[in-house]
Amino acid sequence: MKERLLTNTEPIDVFHYFEDLTFIPRESGNEKEVSDYLVNFAKEHGLEYKQDEWYNVLIRKEATPGYEDHPGVIVQAHMDMVCEKNGDVEHDFAKDPIVFEVEEDRVIAKNTTLGADDGIGVSFGLALLADDSIKHPAIEFVCTSDEERGLQGIENFDFTQLKGDYVINVDSDDEGVVVVGCAGGPVVKVNVPIRKVPADHKKEYYAIKITGLRGGHSGEDIHRGRANANKLLIRVLRALEENVRFDLSDITGGLKYNAIPRNAEAVIGIEKEDKAAVDAVIERFSGIFADEYRVNDPGITLEAVPQETADHILDEASSRRVLDYIDFTETGIIRRDQDYPQFVESSVSLGTISIKNDSAEIWIMTRSSKESQHRAMFQRIISLTKAYDGIYEVMSDCPAWEFDSESQLKKKFEDVFRELYGKDPSFMILHAGLEPCEFAVKVDRKLDMISLGPDIRDLHAPGEYVVISSTQRVWECFKRLIESL
Ligand SMILES: [Zn+2]
């Protein structure tokens, strides 16, 4: 039996519940046990609760006397965690407790993920509900399931039962930065029609390969100036077109629609005598990419690898359509935020390309914290797709949480923070999805929202840790914020 290590760690209640959670398996999709734990908590504390079929749990606590007519507060966290471990470690996330250590100011799981994302948020919610000394308006604690695989739990949550006007999401990982808005946007799958014809076996075939890019999250890393392999490839092919007549046999790029593509390749067929011209283009662009990305993406490799042969090629019209479509699709930063220009407001990422039987399939992800921009980007994708006789399908569409410069909750947080620390807090607009996005569209009255949390590092990876002193400070801030509402 694993022994308890956090019994005396302040804030006592927060770490008590956090430690409880480390005993409960809670990988995304396996939330019944943790959901039942929350239900038992509510029962033990005599609190009204509702568990839905997705294992989301809502727990209510009535306002403290004197706070009955204040607007209610919704506190929100997710119960599931990302389960990653080091390769050489025996650990079964379906039954084994998370093994962690207390190392100076950190609670750290060295060989697995810790689940501080978002076990700390859940613990804040429970500690708040359990503590009768904190004065508060009516509380609704919304603890969702299956967040990490794409906000599945909250998408199925019944928002009509909520009464509160403030939302405090406790799923941020940087004490110094409070989130006040985040990006939404559709993931669009486009199919541009193609026709394949038999390949000319007298030609020589080469795979033009781009590898070695840094990649990253297509939202959170979009401002880092890294290359998009699909876009590099198209530049090389365009330059080839000017010098060489080639047949396009295949084109692929990227592995996940929500990541910046790290590699791409096109298989082309050429006449033997054109090989020197191809080599010259490869050499020229190797130099161009090395120069253009020498700081942000210095490992780019471009090469032409000989292939046995090819079965099919795209006919000329199809080849042009596909190359044009890829070339003319926007990618990268479209606009920066007006209030906070250090943050990206709108971006597009041309994620993946692959050739199917009768079409080229291209996945594009747009993100924007401004609904009108997100519509505009989407409209441009549709127009381009129509221009090339393609069809599009919206695979998922996360709404934006727009920043509200009039936010009372943000002002109250600033007051509490200044009073505690004598300085101003920082705010950010996250260029990725977060659960408050769902609140923003699914509740038909205007909600006032922020997202906060203590310092958690190496999230989603073995070695994840939460900083104890940071948890103390954020908990203090959180309590005072609740009392100020
Ligand atoms: Zn999280």
Side-chain angles (χ1 to χ4, degrees):
M1 190 64 194
K2 191 175 81 131
E3 55 171 315
R4 293 185 78 100
L5 300 175
L6 300 175
T7 316
N8 298 314
T9 307
E10 299 267 8
I12 300 285
D13 276 2
V14 172
F15 279 111
H16 168 79
Y17 293 116
F18 181 74
E19 186 148 36
D20 274 4
L21 292 171
T22 65
F23 286 89
I24 307 171
R26 53 193 174 89
E27 186 162 16
S28 307
N30 181 30
E31 288 102 346
K32 183 176 184 327
E33 199 176 332
V34 63
S35 182
D36 289 346
Y37 164 85
L38 297 169
V39 166
N40 284 331
F41 168 94
K43 286 179 181 165
E44 277 168 21
H45 289 81
L47 299 171
E48 190 190 326
Y49 67 90
K50 181 132 191 275
Q51 181 183 41
D52 66 23
E53 58 186 300
W54 295 87
Y55 298 122
N56 295 307
V57 176
L58 165 65
I59 305 176
R60 294 179 194 280
K61 189 175 183 185
E62 282 175 20
T64 312
Y67 279 73
E68 296 91 338
D69 56 349
H70 293 209
V73 58
I74 299 163
V75 175
Q76 196 259 315
H78 65 85
M79 67 183 83
D80 62 316
M81 65 178 274
V82 170
C83 293
E84 289 288 337
K85 59 174 183 172
N86 286 326
D88 51 350
V89 173
E90 290 255 343
H91 184 93
D92 183 354
F93 283 106
K95 61 177 196 335
D96 297 339
I98 301 292
V99 176
F100 64 84
E101 293 164 40
V102 179
E103 207 177 65
E104 290 171 0
D105 196 19
R106 298 170 175 183
V107 176
I108 181 167
K110 292 205 168 146
N111 290 311
T112 66
T113 38
L114 174 64
D117 169 17
D118 188 24
I120 281 289
V122 177
S123 307
F124 266 49
L126 297 180
L128 171 68
L129 293 170
D131 189 339
D132 289 327
S133 73
I134 305 169
K135 296 197 233 30
H136 55 81
I139 298 169
E140 292 164 301
F141 178 45
V142 176
C143 200
T144 52
S145 65
D146 213 350
E147 189 266 355
E148 298 285 3
R149 295 189 301 185
L151 316 188
Q152 303 289 326
I154 199 158
E155 268 187 25
N156 294 289
F157 183 74
D158 174 14
F159 285 88
T160 60
Q161 56 192 328
L162 295 177
K163 298 174 190 148
D165 291 319
Y166 294 121
V167 178
I168 304 175
N169 165 279
V170 192
D171 188 21
S172 283
D173 49 34
D174 199 333
E175 176 189 350
V177 192
V178 168
V179 177
V180 290
C182 72
V187 175
V188 190
K189 184 182 83 169
V190 172
N191 290 84
V192 176
I194 59 165
R195 207 170 71 87
K196 289 181 182 176
V197 294
D200 177 352
H201 293 294
K202 289 195 289 292
K203 287 191 173 171
E204 288 186 347
Y205 289 84
Y206 292 90
I208 308 297
K209 285 191 175 203
I210 301 214
T211 52
L213 279 68
R214 280 191 172 150
H217 188 277
S218 70
E220 288 170 86
D221 296 316
I222 200 77
H223 62 291
R224 297 188 198 280
R226 296 176 186 166
N228 177 312
N230 296 332
K231 284 292 189 179
L232 297 190
L233 179 64
I234 202 73
R235 286 174 65 190
V236 176
L237 295 175
R238 287 302 202 205
L240 277 174
E241 269 178 342
E242 287 178 11
N243 301 285
V244 178
R245 242 201 61 81
F246 67 81
D247 295 338
L248 180 66
S249 170
D250 194 15
I251 181 163
T252 54
L255 293 173
K256 285 162 103 183
Y257 68 83
N258 56 0
I260 299 171
R262 297 176 56 216
N263 39 297
E265 74 173 74
V267 176
I268 60 167
I270 55 167
E271 302 291 351
K272 211 182 223 111
E273 61 266 26
D274 286 333
K275 179 62 182 5
V278 171
D279 287 341
V281 168
I282 296 278
E283 201 186 319
R284 180 152 63 89
F285 274 85
S286 295
I288 289 173
F289 296 155
D291 169 51
E292 286 183 4
Y293 293 98
R294 67 182 187 279
V295 176
N296 298 327
D297 217 337
I300 301 170
T301 302
L302 172 60
E303 59 191 330
V305 182
Q307 307 290 294
E308 291 273 298
T309 181
D311 292 335
H312 291 93
I313 57 166
L314 276 61
D315 72 9
E316 213 180 314
S318 310
S319 170
R320 173 147 319 121
R321 253 201 309 275
V322 172
L323 297 185
D324 278 358
Y325 192 91
I326 297 167
D327 201 2
F328 300 155
T329 293
E330 290 181 303
T331 205
I333 297 172
I334 304 297
R335 243 171 72 118
R336 287 186 174 269
D337 192 85
Q338 296 181 81
D339 297 289
Y340 297 101
Q342 68 272 38
F343 302 126
V344 177
E345 176 211 80
S346 306
S347 73
V348 185
S349 180
L350 170 50
T352 63
I353 305 170
S354 58
I355 296 290
K356 308 290 178 199
N357 258 341
D358 55 5
S359 70
E361 188 167 299
I362 295 154
W363 286 62
I364 303 166
M365 185 159 189
T366 68
R367 299 176 194 267
S368 181
S369 45
K370 199 111 205 107
E371 203 68 27
S372 51
Q373 273 293 324
H374 134 192
R375 287 297 135 203
M377 293 188 293
F378 180 51
Q379 197 56 50
R380 291 197 291 273
I381 294 174
I382 297 174
S383 305
L384 188 66
T385 304
K386 282 183 181 160
Y388 287 93
D389 303 320
I391 50 168
Y392 68 90
E393 194 179 337
V394 175
M395 305 311 283
S396 65
D397 193 357
C398 175
W401 162 20
E402 292 202 16
F403 171 59
D404 172 12
S405 56
E406 302 292 303
S407 166
Q408 287 302 310
L409 188 55
K410 174 175 174 276
K411 284 201 186 82
K412 285 174 191 282
F413 178 82
E414 282 173 308
D415 292 343
V416 165
F417 190 92
R418 271 193 218 109
E419 197 183 290
L420 266 174
Y421 306 117
K423 59 176 182 183
D424 287 334
S426 300
F427 295 97
M428 87 172 291
I429 295 166
L430 189 70
H431 203 53
L434 206 58
E435 287 180 296
C437 291
E438 293 288 326
F439 285 86
V441 280
K442 299 231 172 110
V443 177
D444 50 15
R445 61 184 179 281
K446 193 167 185 283
L447 295 176
D448 197 346
M449 310 193 281
I450 61 173
S451 172
L452 48 77
D455 287 342
I456 301 172
R457 294 293 176 262
D458 297 328
L459 282 81
H460 300 186
E464 177 186 352
Y465 66 88
V466 56
V467 179
I468 297 167
S469 58
S470 173
T471 307
Q472 289 161 0
R473 287 188 296 270
V474 176
W475 172 244
E476 196 54 43
C477 231
F478 176 76
K479 279 197 301 186
R480 291 200 194 189
L481 177 62
I482 297 277
E483 293 201 325
S484 78
L485 296 179

